Amino acid sequence: MPAHVWILTIIGLLAIVAFDLIVIARRNHTVTIKDATRWVLFYVGLAGLFAVLLFVFKPGDASGSEFVAGYITEYSLSVDNLFVFVIIMARFAVPSLAQDKVLYIGIVVSMLLRAVFILAGAAAIAAASWVFYIFGAFLVYTAVRLALEGENDETDFQENVVIRGMRRILPLQHDYDGAKLVTRNAAGKRMLTPLVIVISAIGMANVIFALDSIPAIFGLTQDAYVVLTANAFALMGLRQLYFLIGGLLERVIYLNVGLSVILAFIGVKLIIEALHGSHIDDIGAIHLPHIGIATSLGFIAGTLLVTTIASLVKTGYDRRRVEAEVD
C-alpha cells in the first residue's frame, strides 16, 4: 500500500478510537442490550464499508476478499476471548459502570501491541518463506490443543507473574472508586484502584490470544495492511459484543471445536503454501492443491454456521430434557 493510504487509514482508526472514548466519557449508565446491539451493528457496518472500499479501489487484486476472510476469522477467534473477559470481570468483581471503560482501555492497549506483532510477522515472512512452516505447524498444534481442552472455564485465566508483580509494586487500594483509575485514600494519599490490574489482565489476555490469531490471518493473506486493518476492526467491535452476547456464550458449546477446525484448516493451508514455495507440488501420488481465498472464506463461514447451529440444537435439547425431568 502507498504511504498516504497507510497514513489516512491510521488517522481514520485513531479518529474512531477517539470518538469511542468520547461516547464512553459521556455515558453515565451501564451498557444495555440496546446500546450494545446498536454499536455492534455500527462497527460491523464500518468493517463492511471498508471492505467495499477495498473492492472498489483495488478491483484487480484479492485485498477485499482477503480482508473479509481475515475479519471474519479474527472476529470469530476474538469471541473466544470473551469467555476470559467474563471470567476476569467476575474474578475481580468489576463494577458494572466501570466495565465499558476497562474493556476500552484494555483493548486499545492490545491493539497497539498487536500492531508490533503484525509488523514483526510480516517482516519475518518477507525475510524467509520457511516461517510459513512454523506458523502452519503452530496453528495445527493449537487446533489440537483447543479441541482437547473442551469448554472454557475459570482455569482459562490465571494471574501471571506480571499481574502478581504489579500487585506488589503499585500503590493499590483494595476497593473500587466507581470507574476511577486513581483515587485518594483516607489519609489523602493518591492510590491506584484495582481497575489498573483488570485493564492489564485484559490487555495481556488479548495479546496472548494474538499468538494464535495473527499466524491464522497470515495464512489467509501476507498483506500487512489487510492483516492490520482486519485486526483493528475486529478488536474495535469486540467490546460491545461482550455486552451483547456475554450471557449467550454458554450456549455456543461447540465454539472451541469450530475454532480448532478453522485453525487446523489454515495451518494446513500455510504448510501447503510453504511446500509450493519450495517447488513441491506433489507428495507421492497426492497432488497439493492451491487453496484460494474464496475457498478459505467459504470454509470458515460454513464451519462457524455449522458450529453455531449444532451448539444451539444441543443446548435446546438439553434444556428440554431437564425441563421434562423436572415435570
Side-chain angles (χ1 to χ4, degrees):
M1 280 289 180
H4 70 276
V5 175
W6 275 96
I7 294 172
L8 290 175
T9 302
I10 292 172
I11 292 174
L13 293 175
L14 290 176
I16 296 171
V17 171
F19 172 72
D20 217 354
L21 179 60
I22 294 172
V23 172
I24 293 174
R26 292 183 176 181
R27 182 180 290 141
N28 56 7
H29 63 275
T30 302
V31 178
T32 65
I33 296 296
K34 184 178 179 180
D35 292 332
T37 302
R38 185 167 59 247
W39 284 105
V40 166
L41 292 176
F42 171 75
Y43 281 114
V44 172
L46 280 181
L49 176 61
F50 185 80
V52 170
L53 292 175
L54 286 177
F55 280 115
V56 170
F57 291 103
K58 297 198 69 181
D61 58 28
S63 295
S65 301
E66 290 174 350
F67 173 81
V68 173
Y71 173 74
I72 293 175
T73 300
E74 290 297 306
Y75 211 21
S76 59
L77 289 173
S78 295
V79 169
D80 204 39
N81 298 19
L82 298 183
F83 285 102
V84 178
F85 291 173
V86 170
I87 293 168
I88 291 174
M89 294 295 188
R91 179 78 59 85
F92 290 96
V94 179
S96 299
L97 193 59
Q99 291 184 7
D100 196 20
K101 182 178 181 179
V102 166
L103 287 170
Y104 172 83
I105 299 175
I107 289 174
V108 169
V109 170
S110 67
M111 283 174 62
L112 297 174
L113 294 176
R114 281 195 182 203
V116 176
F117 286 179
I118 290 169
L119 295 176
I125 290 173
S129 60
W130 53 261
V131 173
F132 277 3
Y133 289 109
I134 298 176
F135 279 5
F138 178 73
L139 288 177
V140 172
Y141 162 76
T142 302
V144 173
R145 189 190 64 189
L146 187 61
L148 295 177
E149 282 179 354
E151 297 181 22
N152 294 270
D153 53 37
E154 291 197 3
T155 61
D156 288 336
F157 170 74
Q158 300 292 335
E159 289 193 14
N160 55 38
V161 64
V162 177
I163 297 296
R164 293 195 297 270
M166 290 177 66
R167 285 189 178 278
R168 290 193 298 267
I169 296 172
L170 297 178
L172 289 168
Q173 73 169 20
H174 178 72
D175 298 322
Y176 291 100
D177 186 4
K180 293 181 180 179
L181 299 179
V182 181
T183 187
R184 291 184 182 274
N185 61 14
K189 181 182 178 182
R190 285 185 177 274
M191 301 286 287
L192 299 177
T193 70
L195 288 182
V196 174
I197 298 295
V198 180
I199 290 170
S200 302
I202 287 176
M204 282 185 280
N206 237 329
V207 171
I208 291 172
F209 275 102
L211 298 179
D212 297 341
S213 64
I214 290 177
I217 193 171
F218 271 119
L220 300 171
T221 176
Q222 286 78 61
D223 188 333
Y225 179 82
V226 173
V227 174
L228 187 65
T229 51
N231 265 270
F233 279 104
L235 285 177
M236 285 192 295
L238 183 61
R239 188 180 91 256
Q240 303 300 336
L241 194 63
Y242 167 86
F243 295 102
L244 180 61
I245 69 170
L248 301 177
L249 288 174
E250 294 180 357
R251 298 184 62 186
V252 192
I253 59 175
Y254 296 131
L255 178 63
N256 278 357
V257 176
L259 294 180
S260 67
V261 170
I262 291 172
L263 289 175
F265 169 79
I266 298 176
V268 171
K269 179 178 182 294
L270 269 174
I271 293 173
I272 290 176
E273 288 186 4
L275 290 170
H276 282 313
S278 302
H279 306 291
I280 300 175
D281 298 323
D282 301 280
I283 298 180
I286 301 175
H287 175 71
L288 299 177
H290 172 70
I291 303 175
I293 192 63
T295 302
S296 299
L297 180 56
F299 181 89
I300 292 167
T303 301
L304 291 174
L305 180 62
V306 171
T307 298
T308 303
I309 293 175
S311 296
L312 295 178
V313 169
K314 179 64 165 61
T315 53
Y317 171 78
D318 291 343
R319 184 178 64 255
R320 290 191 297 271
R321 187 178 62 181
V322 170
E323 290 174 351
E325 292 175 354
V326 171
D327 295 338

